[in-house]
Amino acid sequence: MQALLFVLGIPLLGSAVLAFTGHRSYARDINVGFSLGTFLAACTLTVQVISGGSLLVWNQQFFVDPLNVFLVTLTAFVGLTTAIFSRPYMRVEQDHGKMTPPRMRLYHGMYQLFSFTMLVGLTTNNMGILWVAMEAATLTTVLLVSVYRTAASLEAAWKYFILCGVGIAQALFGTVLLYMAADKVLGTEGATLLWTNLDIIKTRLDPNIITLAFAFLFIGYGTKVGLVPLHNWLPDAHAEGPTPVSAVLSGLLLNVAMYAVLRCKVLTDGALNSALASQLMMGFGLLSVVVAAFFLSRQKDVKRMFSYSSIEHMGLITFAFGMGGPVANFAGLLHMTVHSLTKSAIFFTVGHATQKAGTQLMSEIRGLIKVNPAVGWGMILGVMAILGMPPFGVFASEFLILTTAMREQPWATPFLLLALGVAFASMLSRVLPMVFGETSLRRLAHPPALVPVFVHLGLALALGLYIPRYLDGWYVQAARMLGG
């Protein structure tokens, strides 16, 4: 319980401290320090769960089990590495005049508050608090996306706020319907929104109400996942906000939204004893993979291109969880992990590349391998990893998803193969000139933080070669809990 207190308390304290000191020269180090503290607390919490089993604390309002504990650790880890990356990145942004002292306070304060909302969403046992955490995450990221205060960033933040606000309103209505269904079974004194209670009585919930509830919850949280056709906010938010924000949006926010969908799917499967939830997830997941893959071929902005890649991969994850079963669920969890690691590493390299070139247009970014060999190699390796080249972890998870689809959903396999092929050709044809093309650019003024890039890629490579026994145990337990 004490470890969970630190996991949630450190980023909350960090947001309060940095709201007043975020403009100081040492604020970047303080941000890293709080993120490091959160990560160490998450590791301690993980050890407790491994050794002692699931935790249910604070009047049953918070719950940590094999399904969310590895996501807590992953969230804290990516938050730490992104904070390390942002140190030189935000210094350059200050040098270019994009970040003023008030904006730096806002950025650092909201960064820690965003981490807090993500961790609350992952660890809460109360479906109402989960909704509140997702709404708070929306508000904090709106401020982060608009931090440059340009016309384009304000427009992107407004689009993000409106679309995700509408989506989260649908999730609220779904949560109310869930309460209504549980109230009929548990009564008003039965803590009707606690997920552990709902899981026990899920077979007794009214199927008609749960059908409506899942529809609204899936639309609401699916908007945050970035599923087509509710994806329009994501490319703009990635393109116009600071690159560290793009990294945490792809690496953290999408995973937490998917986690919320999975919790709702478990209840729906138990209540309906039908494949409704699975069919919805497979349908929208496959649609997202195909649409995003073809949109990739039309992009000129490098950050928008990788944002559509995020939509494609979240669609693939949604499709995997929609198929269900131990193998598909295992593959979905593995893909969530390696996608977070790989995509955040790619955004780290993109941040340094766009700062040096002074533009996000891919046609004007050339010769990264000469400007900074580490950035160039980091980008090309990251792209090869995210495209599913062996032996990276994305290849392992995509192989499991495709082989499971061939066996259980053969009709979907041609669409998946076509989309993955289009994405491969589109992305690689644009990245190769960026890395190996001719350029006259000079090196960056401040040495870029490249350790996070290769740590992430190293982990993604390791997970493609060997999954440690304890991590494999988490995945197996979580996959079993998701059922299907």
Side-chain angles (χ1 to χ4, degrees):
M1 185 173 75
Q2 191 174 23
L4 180 59
L5 179 63
F6 281 108
V7 166
L8 300 179
I10 290 174
L12 184 61
L13 176 62
S15 68
V17 171
L18 288 168
F20 295 99
T21 64
H23 63 292
R24 304 290 185 184
S25 60
Y26 52 79
R28 294 184 292 269
D29 299 319
I30 295 177
N31 191 40
V32 173
F34 278 110
S35 299
L36 176 61
T38 304
F39 175 64
L40 294 176
C43 292
T44 304
L45 178 65
T46 301
V47 172
Q48 288 185 3
V49 172
I50 291 175
S51 60
S54 300
L55 297 177
L56 187 61
V57 298
W58 299 335
N59 198 25
Q60 301 185 37
Q61 295 299 312
F62 286 83
F63 177 60
V64 184
D65 66 355
L67 177 58
N68 60 11
V69 69
F70 85 91
L71 287 174
V72 170
T73 308
L74 179 64
T75 298
F77 175 72
V78 175
L80 170 61
T81 54
T82 305
I84 294 172
F85 156 74
S86 73
R87 290 179 71 253
Y89 180 88
M90 298 311 290
R91 185 192 308 171
V92 173
E93 296 296 87
Q94 278 187 299
D95 293 345
H96 291 169
K98 291 184 177 181
M99 294 296 292
T100 61
R103 293 176 189 174
M104 289 298 292
R105 282 202 307 270
L106 177 66
Y107 168 78
H108 285 123
M110 289 301 103
Y111 184 89
Q112 289 295 323
L113 190 60
F114 172 77
S115 297
F116 169 73
T117 59
M118 291 294 92
L119 293 168
V120 169
L122 287 172
T123 56
T124 184
N125 189 35
N126 190 308
M127 299 298 288
I129 296 178
L130 173 61
W131 180 87
V132 172
M134 295 302 297
E135 175 68 6
T138 299
L139 297 177
T140 55
T141 44
V142 163
L143 295 174
L144 287 170
V145 168
S146 65
V147 72
Y148 287 145
R149 295 297 187 269
T150 62
S153 66
L154 290 172
E155 179 184 351
W158 181 249
K159 181 185 290 188
Y160 173 47
F161 177 73
I162 293 298
L163 288 176
C164 288
V166 171
I168 211 71
Q170 308 299 312
L172 175 61
F173 189 63
T175 304
V176 172
L177 290 173
L178 189 61
Y179 174 86
M180 183 189 305
D183 183 64
K184 292 183 177 182
V185 179
L186 295 173
T188 55
E189 301 299 324
T192 49
L193 282 179
L194 296 183
W195 189 86
T196 48
N197 290 348
L198 292 167
D199 188 44
I200 293 172
I201 54 99
K202 61 188 176 185
T203 57
R204 298 162 57 194
L205 298 174
D206 189 322
N208 295 320
I209 298 177
I210 291 299
T211 300
L212 281 174
F214 182 77
F216 282 102
L217 288 165
F218 182 65
I219 292 171
Y221 292 131
T223 303
K224 301 287 288 186
V225 174
L227 297 178
V228 174
L230 303 170
H231 66 286
N232 290 323
W233 64 270
L234 200 150
D236 287 351
H238 279 68
E240 302 304 334
T243 303
V245 177
S246 301
V248 293
L249 281 175
S250 276
L252 303 183
L253 179 64
L254 304 186
N255 276 358
V256 178
M258 177 57 66
Y259 167 80
V261 172
L262 293 178
R263 287 293 193 191
C264 298
K265 178 181 182 290
V266 171
L267 300 178
T268 306
D269 287 342
L272 300 185
N273 196 25
S274 73
L276 173 67
S278 296
Q279 291 170 351
L280 280 174
M281 292 182 70
M282 283 191 293
F284 281 97
L286 185 60
L287 178 65
S288 300
V289 173
V290 174
V291 170
F294 281 95
F295 267 105
L296 275 170
S297 63
R298 302 175 56 189
Q299 301 310 307
K300 299 179 180 179
D301 184 299
V302 62
K303 291 174 71 176
R304 289 182 68 89
M305 181 182 71
F306 285 118
S307 71
Y308 276 105
S309 173
S310 294
I311 295 170
E312 176 206 2
H313 284 278
M314 294 312 295
L316 191 61
I317 292 167
T318 304
F319 180 82
F321 287 126
M323 285 193 295
V327 177
N329 287 335
F330 183 98
L333 293 166
L334 177 60
H335 203 81
M336 287 175 74
T337 306
V338 292
H339 174 258
S340 293
L341 294 170
T342 307
K343 188 56 65 63
S344 52
I346 290 173
F347 274 115
F348 296 162
T349 61
V350 166
H352 292 310
T354 55
Q355 276 188 335
K356 183 58 184 174
T359 179
Q360 294 178 188
L361 295 177
M362 288 180 281
S363 60
E364 299 182 20
I365 302 174
R366 290 290 184 268
L368 293 176
I369 204 76
K370 298 177 182 177
V371 175
N372 190 304
V375 171
W377 281 114
M379 178 173 289
I380 193 64
L381 288 174
V383 169
M384 298 303 287
I386 205 66
L387 290 175
M389 291 293 289
F392 287 98
V394 174
F395 168 78
S397 57
E398 286 185 350
F399 181 80
L400 289 174
I401 293 170
L402 284 170
T403 52
T404 305
M406 290 176 185
R407 183 178 66 253
E408 299 183 5
Q409 306 292 336
W411 62 271
T413 307
F415 296 101
L416 290 173
L417 291 173
L418 173 64
L420 292 175
V422 170
F424 186 96
S426 300
M427 195 177 296
L428 200 60
S429 65
R430 283 159 172 75
V431 171
L432 286 177
M434 292 172 59
V435 175
F436 297 107
E438 294 296 327
T439 183
S440 60
L441 294 176
R442 293 176 295 178
R443 289 181 176 268
L444 292 168
H446 299 286
L450 295 175
V451 172
V453 174
F454 293 101
V455 168
H456 282 213
L457 293 178
L459 290 172
L461 176 63
L463 290 175
L465 297 171
Y466 172 73
I467 300 177
R469 180 176 298 178
Y470 62 88
L471 186 58
D472 178 72
W474 286 347
Y475 287 150
V476 170
Q477 291 183 60
R480 190 182 301 117
M481 290 172 60
L482 292 173

